Amino acid sequence: MISAKRIDKREELAEVNKLLVKNGFQEEIDLSQIIYVMKENEEFIGVAKITVIENIGILNYLVIDSDRRGEDLGDSLLRAILNYCDLNFIKKIYYPYENSYLQKKGFKSADIDEKEFLKVNNINSDKLIVCNTEEFFRDGCCQMRRGC
């Protein structure tokens, strides 16, 4: 069975780090941000991290194990972490780079005011994209997938 959950135990970071390093990312050391993992049985197959600044989130990464890509697992993991944010009043999630996968899932180009606000917090990117969690869940998957 596949599940997604927030981690909060330092012991779980060792498994997260194995997955990150295997897939070309730096090791994770901080549990103060929102880190969600996807597991099948007891095997870690995905991880996502959002850093919270005031009431906004910055998506640091969304990683699915290279052996499991193409199974649409990233969609489930993204929905799990965005749902957590939405329920905890973190309504805007930013990603500081252009990313066709995230844009396909509902992220949109950020407007100039959002970019200026984030520059104050040392996040500077001309490619900034944003997801409004309320719109993401209100619009539903059928609009994005066009085949439901």
Side-chain angles (χ1 to χ4, degrees), residues 42-61:
E42 292 303 311
E43 180 186 358
F44 283 65
I45 59 175
V47 61
K49 175 183 167 185
I50 290 179
T51 300
V52 178
I53 302 171
E54 296 178 25
N55 63 341
I56 63 160
I58 308 298
L59 178 63
N60 300 94
Y61 52 76

Side-chain angles (χ1 to χ4, degrees), residues 51 53 56-58 94-96 114-126 128:
T51 300
I53 302 171
I56 63 160
I58 308 298
Y94 294 90
Y95 187 71
E114 291 172 311
K115 290 178 184 177
E116 291 301 318
F117 170 76
L118 290 172
K119 279 183 186 178
V120 172
N121 290 293
N122 296 319
I123 298 164
N124 189 8
S125 174
D126 293 333
L128 188 70

Side-chain angles (χ1 to χ4, degrees), residues 85-142:
C85 290
D86 189 55
L87 292 173
N88 287 279
F89 306 102
I90 305 163
K91 302 297 182 181
K92 290 206 174 184
I93 308 299
Y94 294 90
Y95 187 71
Y97 309 101
E98 192 171 24
N99 184 293
S100 61
Y101 177 80
L102 292 175
Q103 289 171 306
K104 182 174 78 170
K105 296 299 179 186
F107 279 69
K108 299 173 178 139
S109 293
D111 65 33
I112 196 75
D113 292 334
E114 291 172 311
K115 290 178 184 177
E116 291 301 318
F117 170 76
L118 290 172
K119 279 183 186 178
V120 172
N121 290 293
N122 296 319
I123 298 164
N124 189 8
S125 174
D126 293 333
K127 307 286 186 185
L128 188 70
I129 56 177
V130 61
C131 177
N132 179 310
T133 59
E134 291 175 320
E135 291 174 11
F136 181 84
F137 290 109
R138 181 186 65 227
D139 294 344
C141 69
C142 293

